Amino acid sequence: MSEALTVNKSPQGMAVRALDGAHEMVLGTALRYLPQKGRALDLGAWSGALTQRLQAGGFEVVAADVENQFGLPTEFVNVDCNDPNFDRKFSSRFDLVVAVEVIEHLENPTAFLRSIGRLLNEAGIAIVTTPNVDNAAARLKFFRSGKVRAMEANNPEHITPVHLDLFVRQTVPAAGLRLIENFVYPEGQFPLTGRRYFVALFKLAALLMNGPALTGDTHVFVLRRNCAAKP
């Protein structure tokens, strides 16, 4: 059973380290909340595939990562997201901040989200995605082996699993943010699973378990600043 996230290609041939259709899902989610578009920040931009998708959707995009690996016509800022004050690298706020498959690479998710909050306009949103370690497949894997799915040796850059209950109850409020939507992608599916009979097993197991997020290999969190929090 292979559970490593493969590198796919965007329609423009750019490398994508996300599930098929994930970038389109992120853009669609952003447009539901921000029909007037605006300024967007793509954290962990890597190849620039999501930056390009957001630009095509009408956003003015700033890309950020530890190094520039693409040549798109957009502003690029060198940023280490492990820096608890990386927001100081930017001179203005944004209507949209996206961090797709980034937070699980970081040492301190709360500090990361605090910086995101300081970068958001008052009515802005952040869209954060991360591997779903709460689904039926992950629960069965931990029960069988004691290992966290999507955090194994074949994913050495993944160091911080995000568990839904703790993230919503503790991490998000501590960062001065509030959750306005959470869903899994793709609903009802397990695309990281390589064999069909495993998918059938996981779907059956999900029917027998309690709790949210029992399917889907990615968590999607839509966040806003908590108005009561300090800027």
Side-chain angles (χ1 to χ4, degrees), residues 117 120-122 124 172-179 223-231:
L120 285 174
N121 287 325
E122 186 172 345
V172 171
L177 299 173
R178 58 190 173 94
L179 180 70
L223 306 163
R224 275 202 170 113
R225 286 170 51 194
N226 183 346
C227 295
K230 295 180 180 179

Side-chain angles (χ1 to χ4, degrees), residues 82-148:
N82 272 315
D83 178 354
N85 297 300
F86 74 82
D87 55 288
R88 295 177 181 173
K89 289 268 192 171
F90 303 90
S91 58
S92 61
R93 291 182 176 179
F94 296 88
D95 303 294
L96 171 68
V97 176
V98 296
V100 172
E101 308 303 297
V102 173
I103 197 170
E104 68 274 8
H105 295 252
L106 304 178
E107 298 166 357
N108 190 333
T110 307
F112 175 63
L113 293 180
R114 284 196 187 107
S115 271
I116 287 178
R118 291 191 290 264
L119 287 168
L120 285 174
N121 287 325
E122 186 172 345
I125 65 165
I127 300 175
V128 175
T129 79
T130 191
N132 179 3
V133 297
D134 299 285
N135 65 17
R139 295 186 188 195
L140 289 174
K141 184 179 186 69
F142 190 80
F143 178 77
R144 180 177 61 86
S145 68
K147 295 181 179 180
V148 180

Side-chain angles (χ1 to χ4, degrees), residues 42-200:
D42 180 10
L43 290 172
W46 194 48
S47 73
L50 179 55
T51 296
Q52 192 169 50
R53 175 68 62 182
L54 293 170
Q55 287 176 326
F59 288 92
E60 177 189 347
V61 187
V62 175
D65 211 327
V66 290
E67 61 180 337
N68 191 343
Q69 299 192 40
F70 59 88
L72 293 177
T74 187
E75 180 183 351
F76 183 89
V77 178
N78 289 98
V79 164
D80 179 0
C81 288
N82 272 315
D83 178 354
N85 297 300
F86 74 82
D87 55 288
R88 295 177 181 173
K89 289 268 192 171
F90 303 90
S91 58
S92 61
R93 291 182 176 179
F94 296 88
D95 303 294
L96 171 68
V97 176
V98 296
V100 172
E101 308 303 297
V102 173
I103 197 170
E104 68 274 8
H105 295 252
L106 304 178
E107 298 166 357
N108 190 333
T110 307
F112 175 63
L113 293 180
R114 284 196 187 107
S115 271
I116 287 178
R118 291 191 290 264
L119 287 168
L120 285 174
N121 287 325
E122 186 172 345
I125 65 165
I127 300 175
V128 175
T129 79
T130 191
N132 179 3
V133 297
D134 299 285
N135 65 17
R139 295 186 188 195
L140 289 174
K141 184 179 186 69
F142 190 80
F143 178 77
R144 180 177 61 86
S145 68
K147 295 181 179 180
V148 180
R149 191 177 190 236
M151 301 285 151
E152 310 95 322
N154 58 352
N155 287 297
E157 295 180 350
H158 291 187
I159 62 173
T160 304
V162 174
H163 294 277
L164 178 61
D165 176 65
L166 188 62
F167 187 75
V168 172
R169 284 191 300 108
Q170 299 282 4
T171 307
V172 171
L177 299 173
R178 58 190 173 94
L179 180 70
I180 58 175
E181 185 178 2
N182 167 232
F183 59 93
V184 296
Y185 177 84
E187 176 71 37
Q189 301 300 319
F190 298 90
L192 291 184
T193 301
R195 299 176 185 174
R196 291 183 180 179
Y197 58 83
F198 277 118
V199 174

Side-chain angles (χ1 to χ4, degrees), residues 5-18:
L5 185 63
T6 58
V7 176
N8 302 307
K9 294 289 185 179
S10 73
Q12 295 75 28
M14 304 175 78
V16 177
R17 284 192 296 198

